Every structure is written in structure tokens, then in C-alpha cells.
Amino acid sequence: MAENGQHFVAVIGAAISGSVAAELLAERGIRVAVIEQNKRPYGKIEDGLPRWHVEQRKQEYHHIDERLKKPGISFIPCTKIGRDIDFQDLCSNWGFSAVILANGAWRDRDLGVPGAGDYVDKGLVYQNPFIYWYNHKNERDYRGPRYGTPDETLVVGGGLASIDVVKVLQLENYERALSEHGVQVSMHDLEKGIPSACEAHGIRPESLGVKGCLLIYRRREPDMPLAHPPDNPTPNQIAKTEQVRQKMLRLAREKYLFRFQERRLPVGFLVEDGRLAGLKVVETRTSGRNVEPVPGSEQEIRAPLVISSIGSVPEALPGVAMKGDYYTFTSEDLPRYAPHGHVFGVGNVVTGQGNIRVSLVHSQKVTNHLIENYITGKGELSAFYAAAESRAAGQAQAVSERIQTLPALAPAEFTALENRVRKLQERVGYASDYDSWIAKVTPPDLE
Ligand SMILES: Cc1cc2nc3c(=O)[nH]c(=O)nc-3n(C[C@H](O)[C@H](O)[C@H](O)COP(=O)(O)OP(=O)(O)OC[C@H]3O[C@@H](n4cnc5c(N)ncnc54)[C@H](O)[C@@H]3O)c2cc1C
């Protein structure tokens, strides 16, 4: 109760990590305001996981809803830290007991070739806006950028997200080619496997003339970060993980018919009329974690579009100190933001995506099975979310223990924060309850 001195915590970002942290804090009697930049709170689940994962997305939306509706949690949508609220002001002057950053990893890692910025949307596209477009492009009110999906697009990547990107391209290419042959096949049918979808209409995929998009990766095929070994792996576990990676790539290529080249590193651009017309790449030699260009191996890969999918890192927020691509958190178990004793992080914002260790999912065998399901678009993915949730919960637990050692707020301070939260909600028209808000802001044709 406020009268006894209570804590009030601001959580930035309302998706998996933010909602898990908010629920855990609220269950411990801590009052929580969850500040989210978007109208809807689902983060990477809605805007990053491709829309063919229909059931998984619905399930996870439901979990996030259930958490954010818990007593003691206020949802503040359409409010962006760094635009609507100054981060330093929030941390230093508003009076929250603690601030938890749960704002994920939304900035694409730079392609790494000097001058890449000059070609964005002139032949070069990054993965995050591309998948956002793909997930929302069929909504009547979608007003964002639109992207082409030409055959022979070149994708730079190697992780799960880059497989998603090349898969999107291939689904679009075959849907178009089939349609030109007078055959309408849905994305959902093609997603089950392009050869089987074509054969169901008596068409051989080769007869459609699609050359296929090309995925390039800078290391060897068995190094692709599609699956991860457990911590402190044995040589046997490393060998198994490498086999799983190769199997996943094989499965994905069989189903979606894309081309692949390992050990290719972008080093320059092919430019025509101010637009990117492809990449200059070199072959590489790898030893351990080192990747070295092979002298004299430069080649040109022409492509109508280049998509860079080499990882997501946190967006720079004005006033937030960074070390390289990341905010300055002290550790991964209790991620405290170094410059402020009462600011913490949970989820993807701490380490970016791709760092869930296999140990968090029941066993490596289960993980491998899940990853295959992910590639082939079937089956249960809930263990992945369970891993993301469990990591966020572990961090939130450590954060909540630390918060309880901080001085509680006086009743007047608490009331002042309640008033601020109400004003923020009123500002964006959040007038009644969570369910009514979600119903109001969900596009009727959201896929
Ligand atoms: C096959 C598969 C593999 C997966 N692999 C991994 C993995 O390797 N690693 C991993 O961590 N997870 C993985 N996941 C799980 C999951 O996709 C993500 O972990 C999880 O969605 C990330 O949640 P988050 O809340 O940390 O970040 P997000 O979902 O990105 O949520 C952040 C939220 O913060 C909001 N936000 C951002 N900036 C601001 C701001 N300035 N002000 C206010 N709000 C803001 C965003 O709008 C968003 O809603 C995987 C899932 C699947 C299905």
C-alpha cells in the first residue's frame, strides 16, 4: 500500500520481456507503468516473426494480454522514450523507484561496408523494416514503406532471421510466377513447401523460370548460428550442433528452393545510376572465430536487391550511454544500467536477439526438433517463447530483489506518479480498460 511506502516502477517496452517483468513485479506488490511506443504491445511477435506463424502469434498475444491486464499494471501505449519522454528526465526527475528497459533490439546491425547508408532504399534494404512490411503489407491502412521482392535478390546473413527473409522472397516469387501461369496458390500453401504446392497443381517448379534468391554467409555452413550448443560444450555436442545446422539449411533449401554460398564476405558495392546493383564479395578462410579474406578472391554478385540480415541490436536512445552496439549493462544475470543505480534491462535489449542458450530450453534434442519446426513452419514453437520468457523472468526476479532494497516512495511521490501515468494515458486517448483499447487499435484485417 502507498501509505506504508511502496515502489512504483516504469517498464519501457510491453512485449514478451516487458510484460513478463511487469507481471512479476506486480505479483510482488510493486506498482508498474508499462510504456510502449506502439499502439499494440506485441513487439517482435507481431512485427518480427513472419506472419505464417499464425497460431504461435495468437497464443503469444494472448499471454502478453493476460500479463498486462494484471492488477497493479498500467499500460501506456503510443509513448516513445526518446521522442515523447526524455530518458534522462524519466530516470532522474520523475521519481520512479526503478526504470526497466525492455525495449528489445530493433536496429539492424550495419552491413559493415563503408557507405552502405547511401544505398538504403536504393537497392539495399535491412531485415527489420522488410519483415515489418511483410507482416503488415496487406492491411488496408498500412502506410509504411513498400518493398519489391525480385527474383535473384541477394540476402546477406546466416541466422534464423535471414532464413525467414529468403523464405519470404521465395514465397513471393513463386506466388507471382504461379499467378502468371494462371494458378492462385496462397502463401500458407507455399509455406508448407514450394515443390509440393506446385506439384499439387501439376506444375514442376523448374518450369516456372524462377532462378531463386541467394543467401550468402561469411563463415562455413556448419557455423551458421541457426542452432547453438549448450554452455561449455563437449566436442561431441559441437559436432551434433554443426550437423543440426546443416540439416536445417538443407531442409529450408529443399522446401524453399533458394541458393546458398558459404564463406562470402561483402567488401564493396556495384552501383549503377546511383543505385545498388549488387555486391563485391571475397571468399573467406575461417579458423576458430576468425574470418579472413582470401587474397585475390574478389568477385561480383549482381542482384536487383540486396537485403542485409546480420543481426538486431538495441536502438540508440538519446541520453543512453552505449558501449559499441549495446547499452552499458553490468551483467546479463542482473543487468543494471551502469550510469544509474536504479535502471535495469531485461530481454533482447540486454544482448540482442540470438543469445538464448540451449540450456534454457529443456534439452538440445527438443531444441533441435523445435528449430526444424521453425524452418519448416509447422508445429509448436512455445518452448522458444518459454525460453525468452524464462530469461526475462530470471532477470526481472533479480531486478525485483534489488528494487526491494531501494528506498520506498512516500505517499505524495506515489500519488504524483499515479497522476503522471493517468495524464500519459489520457494524452493518447487510452480512456478505459486494456481490452477495449486493444479492440479499438487492432486493424480489422490484421493477419
Ligand atoms: C524460432 C525462434 C527463435 C527465437 N530465438 C530467440 C533468441 O535467440 N533470442 C531471444 O532473445 N529470443 C528468441 N526468440 C523469442 C522471441 O522472439 C524474442 O526473444 C522476444 O520476442 C523478444 O522480446 P522482447 O520483449 O525482449 O523484445 P521485443 O519483442 O522487441 O519488444 C520490445 C518492445 O519495446 C518497444 N519499444 C522499443 N523501443 C521503445 C521506446 N523507445 N519506447 C517505448 N517502447 C519501445 C517495442 O515497440 C516492443 O514492443 C525466438 C523465437 C522464436 C520463435
Side-chain angles (χ1 to χ4, degrees):
M1 300 296 290
E3 289 72 22
N4 303 332
Q6 200 186 339
H7 289 293
F8 204 143
V9 171
V11 175
I12 301 168
I16 290 197
S17 310
S19 65
V20 164
E23 179 183 46
L24 193 135
L25 295 171
E27 281 168 355
R28 282 158 183 68
I30 296 172
R31 181 84 174 82
V32 190
V34 182
I35 303 172
E36 165 59 48
Q37 64 180 359
N38 292 331
K39 289 178 186 163
R40 286 164 46 93
Y42 311 114
K44 281 268 153 157
I45 303 301
E46 176 168 336
D47 299 335
L49 190 65
R51 62 186 152 87
W52 53 76
H53 294 290
V54 178
E55 280 313 309
Q56 290 78 22
R57 282 172 13 125
K58 265 193 212 150
Q59 277 174 24
E60 206 49 45
Y61 293 167
H62 176 69
H63 289 145
I64 291 173
D65 291 341
E66 291 305 302
R67 293 186 203 115
L68 292 178
K69 284 195 292 188
K70 292 271 161 76
I73 300 178
S74 295
F75 179 51
I76 306 170
C78 307
T79 305
K80 182 172 175 141
I81 303 299
R83 180 191 63 200
D84 306 307
I85 297 176
D86 179 70
F87 174 74
Q88 288 293 357
D89 191 30
L90 176 80
C91 298
S92 307
N93 304 325
W94 283 42
F96 281 110
S97 313
V99 174
I100 300 181
L101 291 157
N103 49 313
W106 284 93
R107 186 166 62 88
D108 284 280
R109 198 170 260 136
D110 191 81
L111 179 59
V113 181
D118 295 344
Y119 301 106
V120 173
D121 294 340
K122 291 181 198 148
L124 173 66
V125 171
Y126 279 99
Q127 167 215 310
N128 276 301
F130 181 76
I131 297 291
Y132 183 91
W133 160 79
Y134 183 69
N135 280 3
H136 293 279
K137 72 184 174 95
N138 298 331
E139 290 161 27
R140 199 195 53 204
D141 291 333
Y142 175 75
R143 297 280 176 271
R146 294 199 174 264
Y147 299 107
T149 52
D151 191 14
E152 297 187 85
T153 292
L154 173 59
V155 180
V156 183
L160 273 181
S162 70
I163 303 273
D164 281 342
V165 168
V166 79
K167 186 167 157 182
V168 164
L169 291 162
Q170 290 294 88
L171 297 180
E172 293 277 299
N173 270 307
Y174 277 91
E175 191 175 335
R176 213 163 35 230
L178 284 161
S179 167
E180 282 160 12
H181 283 71
V183 180
Q184 305 307 322
V185 181
S186 75
M187 176 268 281
H188 290 291
D189 286 336
L190 283 166
E191 201 272 330
K192 292 182 190 112
I194 290 171
S196 56
C198 290
E199 278 149 26
H201 293 273
I203 293 174
R204 282 183 309 110
E206 313 82 83
S207 70
L208 292 169
V210 177
K211 297 198 174 99
C213 299
L214 171 65
L215 172 65
I216 59 169
Y217 175 52
R218 65 190 176 134
R219 298 177 194 276
R220 301 173 314 145
E221 186 181 312
D223 302 324
M224 292 175 85
L226 298 170
H228 300 280
D231 289 332
N232 307 315
T234 62
N236 191 28
Q237 286 169 320
I238 292 176
K240 283 224 168 92
T241 305
E242 292 187 348
Q243 283 165 17
V244 170
R245 291 167 173 165
Q246 289 180 293
K247 181 175 173 194
M248 286 165 64
L249 180 67
R250 180 173 51 74
L251 277 174
R253 293 190 62 198
E254 281 169 10
K255 287 195 168 258
Y256 307 110
L257 309 178
F258 59 91
R259 294 174 292 131
F260 175 74
Q261 284 182 4
E262 61 174 5
R263 299 190 300 106
R264 293 291 184 278
L265 181 71
V267 290
F269 298 121
L270 303 177
V271 178
E272 277 170 13
D273 301 327
R275 231 189 109 80
L276 208 61
L279 292 180
K280 290 181 185 158
V281 302
V282 284
E283 278 184 38
T284 63
R285 196 183 285 132
T286 59
S287 101
R289 297 300 298 158
N290 284 339
V291 178
E292 277 178 30
V294 174
S297 65
E298 189 167 306
Q299 64 182 104
E300 295 182 349
I301 306 180
R302 299 188 70 77
L305 178 70
V306 175
I307 304 188
S308 178
S309 176
I310 56 173
S312 299
V313 292
E315 278 187 336
L317 283 180
V320 178
M322 299 193 79
K323 194 173 168 198
D325 278 335
Y326 293 98
Y327 303 164
T328 52
F329 288 115
T330 48
S331 77
E332 205 181 317
D333 293 336
L334 172 59
R336 191 174 64 73
Y337 172 64
H340 278 283
H342 69 307
V343 179
F344 305 89
V346 294
N348 278 5
V349 73
V350 179
T351 47
Q353 194 161 4
N355 288 298
I356 286 190
R357 305 308 302 172
V358 170
S359 54
L360 280 178
V361 191
H362 326 303
S363 74
Q364 201 169 357
K365 196 162 161 234
V366 175
T367 310
N368 296 344
H369 176 68
L370 274 166
I371 290 170
E372 281 167 29
N373 281 351
Y374 181 77
I375 294 284
T376 57
K378 61 179 183 193
E380 255 299 288
L381 294 177
S382 55
F384 273 116
Y385 304 120
E389 286 161 19
S390 129
R391 179 179 67 155
Q395 290 168 333
Q397 167 75 31
V399 170
S400 86
E401 282 162 18
R402 178 59 64 91
I403 291 170
Q404 272 149 347
T405 67
L406 298 172
L409 302 183
E413 294 170 314
F414 194 90
T415 307
L417 281 172
E418 288 285 11
N419 290 336
R420 275 213 193 239
V421 167
R422 208 168 309 113
K423 283 211 175 89
L424 285 171
Q425 288 178 322
E426 281 166 9
R427 187 184 76 89
V428 296
Y430 184 100
S432 55
D433 61 292
Y434 180 85
D435 283 334
S436 322
W437 172 263
I438 295 293
K440 185 172 110 179
V441 298
T442 299
D445 50 359
L446 181 81
E447 288 176 86

